[in-house]
Amino acid sequence: MLSNEAEHFLLQLRLELASKGKKDEDIYAIEAELRDHLYEAELRGESVESVTGGSVKDYIKSISNELPFDKGIFSFIFLMILSAIIFFTVPNLIQGDFDVSVYKVVYYSLLIFVIAPLELWIMKNLLIKYGDTKKTYFLVIAMSMAMLAFMILGELFMRKYKSPSLASLDDKYSFFIGIFIAIVFIVICIILKHWFFVGVMVYLLLPDLLGMLLTDGNPESENYINISLITYTVMNVIIGTLAIIYFRRVEKKDKVK
């Protein structure tokens, strides 16, 4: 097994190369080759610096010409932005409460184009600085809680203060348009094999869809709210259980190695 210092360097390398738009297969190849060199060096009693020079950025510069830029990252970024817009709009369409106001445009634009990229940038730098440690997890959780608080405050603000409407849809058509967009999006993601986006869409869609189909369709009714909350709770329990099982298996594999 490699030392914590070597594993931290490899983590920094992966993050820096990924942020610079390098191909996944090239990143894995470089990491595997460097991992072997580090392993052999540590067996000889040599330090990580003797192999890498100590600086991740300098090491990347020395190999940057060997790694082509992944042009597919542009389509991925486009899909990410499109996904974020769909994730924010489809649930409202399903509920029959689709109304685009000035405040909503500003709020969701801040979330998609400012807050979310900033959060990813901070997470990357936390991992680079502290590695896979408890401090990193604590800071990421704290940042996620702050993000959640911002989103809740934003929703409360928009409910309290009305804003001029830019566009709205009749309840009769809103539901079917939302279902159509969700189905098209899921099919595209399946074709492109982006299973994460499919999972997020199902997670966001299922509670409102069940609430709509199993009640009178009024999002403010008690039965609708109860069914949605129960569905969310069950999904969170399932996802949490699967995550625990997965990480325990990974931990056992690491111990075996």
Side-chain angles (χ1 to χ4, degrees):
M1 292 182 63
L2 292 177
S3 64
N4 291 334
E5 183 183 0
E7 289 290 355
H8 188 196
F9 188 93
L10 291 173
L11 175 62
Q12 290 177 297
L13 180 67
R14 288 196 301 272
L15 292 170
E16 288 289 351
L17 289 175
S19 66
K20 292 183 181 298
K22 303 302 181 181
K23 294 182 178 180
D24 289 341
E25 54 268 29
D26 292 334
I27 295 175
Y28 295 146
I30 290 293
E31 181 190 359
E33 182 180 355
L34 180 58
R35 182 179 290 274
D36 291 338
H37 291 323
L38 289 171
Y39 179 75
E40 294 173 359
E42 290 189 333
L43 284 179
R44 296 192 298 267
E46 299 176 3
S47 64
V48 174
E49 286 78 7
S50 65
V51 178
T52 64
S55 172
V56 177
K57 292 183 178 180
D58 290 341
Y59 187 83
I60 290 176
K61 287 180 181 179
S62 67
I63 62 174
S64 59
N65 293 332
E66 303 174 16
L67 304 178
F69 182 78
D70 185 8
K71 295 181 180 179
I73 194 172
F74 294 115
S75 61
F76 181 76
I77 291 174
F78 173 76
L79 183 60
M80 284 284 289
I81 295 174
L82 180 63
S83 301
I85 294 173
I86 290 175
F87 292 156
F88 283 127
T89 56
V90 167
N92 289 331
L93 286 167
I94 298 297
Q95 294 173 11
D97 184 29
F98 185 76
D99 179 45
V100 180
S101 66
V102 175
Y103 288 165
K104 284 186 177 181
V105 171
V106 173
Y107 170 67
Y108 290 131
S109 296
L110 281 174
L111 284 179
I112 296 172
F113 300 108
V114 179
I115 304 298
L118 180 62
E119 184 178 16
L120 291 174
W121 181 81
I122 293 174
M123 287 176 63
K124 188 201 84 167
N125 283 277
L126 286 175
L127 283 168
I128 289 176
K129 185 173 183 179
Y130 301 112
D132 187 12
T133 63
K134 291 182 179 179
K135 186 171 184 178
T136 300
Y137 291 124
F138 173 78
L139 292 173
V140 169
I141 291 173
M143 182 177 60
S144 300
M145 294 298 293
M147 175 73 169
L148 179 61
F150 175 82
M151 293 176 66
I152 292 174
L153 289 174
E155 293 291 342
L156 292 174
F157 176 85
M158 287 188 295
R159 291 183 182 183
K160 185 175 181 180
Y161 299 100
K162 297 298 181 181
S163 174
S165 178
L166 300 176
S168 61
L169 284 175
D170 186 274
D171 295 353
K172 296 179 181 179
Y173 304 106
S174 178
F175 175 80
F176 294 105
I177 292 174
I179 292 296
F180 176 76
I181 293 175
I183 292 174
V184 171
F185 178 77
I186 289 174
V187 170
I188 292 174
C189 289
I190 291 175
I191 293 173
L192 298 176
K193 297 181 180 180
H194 288 303
W195 305 108
F196 172 77
F197 295 118
V198 175
V200 174
M201 176 55 73
V202 172
Y203 177 81
L204 293 174
L205 188 65
L206 192 58
D208 285 313
L209 185 59
L210 290 178
M212 184 67 65
L213 296 176
L214 299 179
T215 66
D216 59 1
N218 182 11
E220 296 181 358
S221 68
E222 184 177 351
N223 288 335
Y224 186 105
I225 294 173
N226 288 336
I227 290 175
S228 297
L229 287 175
I230 291 172
T231 306
Y232 268 125
T233 302
V234 171
M235 288 194 301
N236 286 329
V237 170
I238 293 173
I239 293 172
T241 303
L242 292 175
I244 292 172
I245 293 172
Y246 172 77
F247 285 117
R248 282 184 177 178
R249 286 183 178 179
V250 172
E251 186 177 357
K252 286 182 181 179
K253 288 182 180 179
D254 292 339
K255 287 182 179 179
V256 172
K257 291 178 182 179

